[in-house]
Amino acid sequence: MAFHTAFGSLSNYEKGSIEIINDNPKYYVFSNVFEVASKARPYEKVAVAKNLEYVIEAIRAEGTSGWMACSHDEFAVVMDGEVEVEYVKLDSPESVAPASKEGTVAVAGEPKGKRMGTVRLKRGHQALLPKGAAYRFKAARPSVMIQQTILGALTVQKWGEICYQ
């Protein structure tokens, strides 16, 4: 038996299926990150997986995002396309993303601090989004990322819309 690996993309994906054997289907949910991103606004952070307070968000990267920061480390993985991540080491990280605030926060205006550099990501590449830094994404064409973080104010939960019915 020969197997063929097919990589999904924003323009070419297939929704999978699940076969529940001797269990209750209400305990299982799944969605397709490419389908979720295809219906999302640029940089809308749609939760597609959740484990306690942690979430994986599907993100449609298109154009330039606003600046963001977090009181804990996050990471992003490009699933399709190419995305640049710009970093600024914040002069006063606690005033932007206080330790009491979980999840990604929007940075008002331009972040104050020293420019750290840029990371260019392609499919399968991962970047750390470190605590104490502001970051923003840039994508010349529509791309798809997943981001691991803690559930926060910017996380959009659309379980009833995105999960397999």
Side-chain angles (χ1 to χ4, degrees), residues 15-18 25-33 35-36 39 46-50 56 156-165:
K15 187 142 184 169
S17 62
I18 187 168
K26 75 178 184 179
Y27 298 128
Y28 301 87
V29 297
F30 73 96
S31 56
N32 182 302
V33 295
E35 181 180 33
V36 171
K39 297 176 181 177
V46 182
V48 294
K50 186 171 187 275
I56 301 292
V156 177
Q157 297 187 71
K158 299 180 177 182
W159 301 112
E161 295 173 38
I162 68 169
C163 291
Y164 186 76
Q165 303 289 325

Side-chain angles (χ1 to χ4, degrees), residues 131-142:
K131 172 183 176 178
Y135 60 87
R136 73 175 170 186
F137 302 112
K138 289 184 179 183
R141 65 175 183 84

Side-chain angles (χ1 to χ4, degrees), residues 69-72 90 92-107 131-132:
C70 202
S71 64
H72 48 79
L90 293 169
S92 179
E94 184 68 25
S95 67
V96 175
S100 61
K101 187 100 170 167
E102 294 184 331
T104 308
V105 297
V107 175
K131 172 183 176 178

Side-chain angles (χ1 to χ4, degrees), residues 43 61 74-87 118-129 135-147:
Y43 300 105
E74 303 173 297
F75 72 82
V77 179
V78 172
M79 304 298 289
D80 180 37
E82 298 180 12
V83 180
E84 289 186 1
V85 187
E86 293 181 80
Y87 297 94
T118 301
V119 174
R120 290 175 182 81
L121 307 170
K122 294 183 179 182
R123 179 194 298 262
H125 294 166
Q126 175 178 312
L128 176 67
L129 308 170
Y135 60 87
R136 73 175 170 186
F137 302 112
K138 289 184 179 183
R141 65 175 183 84
S143 300
V144 178
M145 301 186 304
I146 57 172
Q147 185 170 339

Side-chain angles (χ1 to χ4, degrees), residues 64-69 86-92 95-96 106-115 134-136 138:
T64 302
S65 74
W67 286 97
M68 294 171 268
E86 293 181 80
Y87 297 94
V88 170
K89 178 70 174 159
L90 293 169
D91 287 342
S92 179
S95 67
V96 175
V107 175
E110 289 291 314
K112 293 179 178 35
K114 183 178 180 184
R115 183 166 157 61
Y135 60 87
R136 73 175 170 186
K138 289 184 179 183

